[in-house]
Structure formats: structure tokens, C-alpha cells
Amino acid sequence: MNNIITIDGPAASGKGTLARKIADHFDYFYLDTGKIYRLIGLQAHQAKLIPEDNPDDVAIMAKTLSQNFDLTMMDNPELKSDLAGQMASRVGQFQHVRDAILDLQRHLAVHPPANKKGAVLDGRDCGTVICPEAPYKFFVTADQDIRAKRRFDELKLRGDDIDFETVLADMKERDDRDFNRSVVPTKPADDAIIIDTTNMSIDQAFSKMIKSID
Ligand code: DC
């Protein structure tokens, strides 16, 4: 676990960008655990499963996915959609769904693909559940309004016809579920360094994080 860096935090906090930059900096493997939940969420949606009504079926699906997992699955552009994000948050509420992909995530962290010497894990429970022994743990956060504004700007840039209130309501719904679920609620590990990006640029946050790793 010596070469593992975990970066957890809520949606649109900047953790994904930071995790990718840090992985590039150290030439480590970057694992976006949210994408695995998004894959399960999309599969459930395509199978017309309502996660809250069929958690057992979703867990079976998650187990099958982890057994047949292939990194190219993560390249599916649909995984970036808001639908995939909401479905990911819904399937992630269930302990047996989370358990079904735990070994896969640990395996990728401890044996990073492409001969990489280490791994950066990005998600909600990387420092608390997946790799609690990782030597470097961060929790990246920012005020909810700021995160909603960032997501709104990103969607606008992509050409989506959406208003800020809808994005904010979506963010609230997802935060509520991710922070308050009874199973593995999103929270920093006891020894995580908190990075609040509300008034910080990505470059400022990046150098703060790198300094605490070097
Ligand atoms: O990081 P993201 O927005 O791609 O994650 C999508 C959803 O997946 C998030 O709202 C909650 C869930 N998730 C989780 O429960 N545990 C993780 N380690 C990563 C994501």
C-alpha cells in the first residue's frame, strides 16, 4: 500500500482533475472508482432495474461486471452523463453492491496495470474502505453552491440546455444521498488532509497536495 494515494470528496469538488494531475505527476495509475459505480448504474438502467426495488439483482450485476472487468469499459462516453452519475449514486447505497466491487478496486490499487509503480484512487470511500492503509489520503471538498456552479459551467460549455437551479437541485439530491446514506457515507478518513477548493484554483490545490506528499 506504500504507493497509493487516495482522494475522496463530493461531486464537482475538483478531486477528479486533481487526482489525474497527481497520477500524471508521479506516473501512477489513475483509478476513477466513481466510473465503476457509473458502469453499474448504467447497466441497471439499461436492464430497467430500479436500484431501490432490486438491490439484489444490481449486486449480482455488479459481481458479474467485476469478474469480467476490462479497463476499456471505462472509456464509454455515456459514463459522463448526469443520468449515469445519479444512477451511480443510487446503486452505491447498497452494501452488497459495494462489496461486489471491493476486491476489484483493491486489486487495481495494489497491482496497478501497465507496470505503473503506484496508484491514485479517486472516489468516496478510497481512504476509509478500499485502502485505509494508504500513506497519503486527501479529502477534497468545496461549498455546494460553488460545486453546482462549476458543474453548470461545464455542462454549458458542452452545449447542454440546462438552468442553474436544476443543476443545484441535482447536486443537493446527490450530496444528500452520498453523505447521509447509512452504508459507507462519504466522509474523510481520520488521517486525511482536507483540501477545500472553494477559494482555491486547481493549481493552488495541486501544489498544496504535492507538498504534503513529497
Ligand atoms: O465521483 P462520481 O461523481 O463519478 O461518482 C458517482 C457516484 O458514485 C457518486 O455520487 C456516489 C457513487 N460512488 C460511491 O458511492 N463510492 C465511490 N467510491 C465512488 C462513487
Side-chain angles (χ1 to χ4, degrees), residues 94-189:
F94 301 101
Q95 185 68 57
H96 48 325
V97 173
R98 308 190 70 83
D99 288 344
I101 55 170
L102 185 58
D103 286 349
L104 167 69
Q105 296 173 99
R106 276 197 186 137
H107 181 82
L108 289 168
V110 177
H111 304 285
N115 288 326
K116 298 280 184 185
K117 291 189 302 297
V120 178
L121 270 67
D122 156 2
R124 302 289 189 288
D125 61 344
C126 303
T128 50
V129 175
I130 306 174
C131 293
E133 277 128 49
Y136 305 108
K137 300 190 192 116
F138 297 94
F139 192 84
V140 179
T141 187
D143 290 354
Q144 193 178 57
D145 281 15
I146 295 285
R147 289 187 287 111
K149 173 77 171 70
R150 288 177 189 161
R151 177 56 49 83
F152 174 71
D153 290 346
E154 200 181 297
L155 294 172
K156 276 281 171 203
L157 209 66
R158 229 174 54 183
D160 287 15
D161 180 21
I162 195 153
D163 59 283
F164 178 72
E165 292 313 316
T166 309
V167 177
L168 181 63
D170 242 46
M171 186 72 71
K172 279 189 176 142
E173 188 186 331
R174 192 124 79 91
D175 277 0
D176 257 10
R177 201 182 299 116
D178 295 349
F179 280 103
N180 303 324
R181 64 189 177 204
S182 56
V183 168
V184 194
T186 299
K187 64 168 184 171

Side-chain angles (χ1 to χ4, degrees), residues 29-44 58 61-63 65-67 69-71 73-75 79 84 87-89 91-92 97-98 100-109 121-123 125-126 130:
F29 172 63
Y30 167 58
L31 178 64
D32 180 353
T33 63
K35 270 199 176 169
I36 304 180
Y37 284 92
R38 285 168 181 260
L39 268 171
I40 303 166
L42 267 190
Q43 281 194 359
V58 177
M61 198 174 253
K63 191 80 219 166
L65 181 120
S66 79
Q67 283 158 352
F69 184 78
D70 165 353
L71 279 175
M73 291 174 177
M74 309 274 258
D75 298 335
L79 296 178
M87 286 303 293
S89 168
V91 299
V97 173
R98 308 190 70 83
I101 55 170
L102 185 58
D103 286 349
L104 167 69
Q105 296 173 99
R106 276 197 186 137
H107 181 82
L108 289 168
L121 270 67
D122 156 2
D125 61 344
C126 303
I130 306 174

